[in-house]
Amino acid sequence: MARRLLAVLAVALALLQAASAKSWLDKRFNTDGTVRTGYDASGQQVVMLNLNQQSGAAGFNSKQQYLYGEFSIQMKLIPGNSAGTVSCFYLSSGDDEWRDEIDMEFMGNSSGHPVVLNTNVWANGDGKKEHQFDLWFDPAADYHTYTIIWNPENILFKVDNLFIRSFKRFAGLPYPTSKPMRLHATLWDGSYWATEKGKIPINWSNAPFVVSYRNYYANACVSGGACHAGSDRWMKKQLDGAEWGTVKWAERSYMRYNYCEDGYRFPQGLPAECNRY
């Protein structure tokens, strides 16, 4: 009996140690709103952001600031009717009008319609640089990996193993290069904007809305500190021919908005970078 008890305790301790090793929220982030945690079958920590009409927005933001890096996370989005919600994974230097920001925003849908991924780059307060894509899978059925690579030459957006966008740095044009940024994940009410340009607001009878995050990864240069080992892999990363092929595939098959094609929004002429790609 004593041996059996000791064996059970040993297994429990091993599982606890494994879970602790894979815990990342409390070590690296502060939280806001209703944030719950659990563990999946492999011992990987799962962080769940909850949104209802009473609780308001929820999120977590990194304790450290970064200047360049590779950041990824696995997300499982809201099932069913998520119209009006916005689920985010992004970097930001702050809330001021001159901020830098790199966004991956998932705009909720009414049932049966694709979830839209909005990618955007802000540089010194200029943020009208969106590329939007219909996701080609159900992002609520399982976890998918979303990645941002930010280096001095370009910003790369990746879904699972496919690059879908490159925002290049051009001489004389704004680019996020000097303002340290924190990593954020948020879930909030974007009824005024998120779904069909605000035509379909949140239906609170479907609340609570839950987005799950797991397997957070960052290899980045900490502001005022050193870069992590292996930073050369992403610091010098630019797309090769095959990777540009996946970008063109995403643009051709799933892009629903490209700011470089929106002459109505830019009556004085398209942004200068649009003519340099």
Side-chain angles (χ1 to χ4, degrees):
M1 185 68 178
R3 288 182 180 179
R4 183 178 299 176
L5 179 59
L6 287 173
V8 170
L9 290 174
V11 170
L13 179 60
L15 290 173
L16 180 63
Q17 289 172 337
S20 177
K22 297 182 179 180
S23 299
W24 47 268
L25 182 69
D26 292 338
K27 295 176 182 177
R28 302 187 181 184
F29 293 93
N30 298 310
T31 62
D32 296 298
T34 304
V35 181
R36 298 188 173 94
T37 60
Y39 291 89
D40 64 17
S42 70
Q44 171 67 47
Q45 185 176 53
V46 176
V47 178
M48 293 155 283
L49 303 186
N50 291 252
L51 173 66
N52 61 48
Q53 202 164 12
Q54 292 72 41
S55 67
F60 51 89
N61 55 88
S62 64
K63 296 176 181 178
Q64 293 182 318
Q65 293 180 298
Y66 305 100
L67 190 63
Y68 303 132
E70 179 178 5
F71 310 87
S72 71
I73 203 160
Q74 292 185 325
M75 296 173 62
K76 183 158 63 173
L77 301 187
I78 300 163
N81 188 346
S82 59
T85 65
V86 182
S87 311
C88 302
F89 179 61
Y90 68 102
L91 291 151
S92 179
S93 65
D95 297 325
D96 62 90
E97 60 179 320
W98 306 111
R99 72 184 182 277
D100 290 348
E101 193 167 294
I102 304 169
D103 297 326
M104 297 186 83
E105 300 171 309
F106 302 85
M107 299 150 64
N109 69 324
S110 53
S111 296
H113 294 276
V115 169
V116 177
L117 168 57
N118 182 54
T119 65
N120 197 8
V121 176
W122 293 70
N124 203 30
D126 179 9
K128 299 176 182 177
K129 304 183 186 299
E130 299 101 329
H131 282 186
Q132 295 179 359
F133 302 87
D134 291 336
L135 291 178
W136 50 94
F137 51 83
D138 180 358
D142 202 351
Y143 287 94
H144 291 267
T145 304
Y146 304 96
T147 302
I148 296 169
I149 296 174
W150 169 37
N151 65 36
E153 300 302 323
N154 51 196
I155 295 164
L156 305 173
F157 297 89
K158 190 177 182 182
V159 176
D160 292 328
N161 293 317
L162 300 174
F163 286 98
I164 63 168
R165 183 181 181 186
S166 169
F167 181 87
K168 295 180 70 67
R169 181 181 183 179
F170 294 107
L173 299 182
Y175 184 86
T177 188
S178 62
K179 298 175 185 176
M181 294 200 261
R182 296 187 190 276
L183 193 287
H184 301 261
T186 56
L187 171 60
W188 51 281
D189 177 1
S191 291
Y192 72 95
W193 164 72
T195 307
E196 298 184 24
K197 298 182 178 179
K199 293 179 181 178
I200 306 178
I202 283 182
N203 182 348
W204 289 110
S205 67
N206 295 322
F209 301 99
V210 179
V211 176
S212 299
Y213 296 79
R214 72 178 187 186
N215 202 25
Y216 170 70
Y217 168 85
N219 186 322
C221 300
V222 177
S223 177
C227 299
H228 288 183
S231 61
D232 282 353
R233 185 185 71 250
W234 54 260
M235 185 67 84
K236 299 178 180 179
K237 175 64 180 176
Q238 298 189 59
L239 300 186
D240 61 24
E243 291 163 343
W244 271 114
T246 70
V247 170
K248 297 304 179 185
W249 166 81
E251 291 177 349
R252 181 175 62 252
S253 303
Y254 296 102
M255 179 177 278
R256 69 158 50 197
Y257 178 81
N258 179 354
Y259 76 108
C260 284
E261 298 176 353
D262 191 349
Y264 179 81
R265 190 179 190 185
F266 302 100
Q268 305 303 316
L270 295 174
E273 68 268 14
C274 294
N275 297 318
R276 301 196 190 182
Y277 280 98

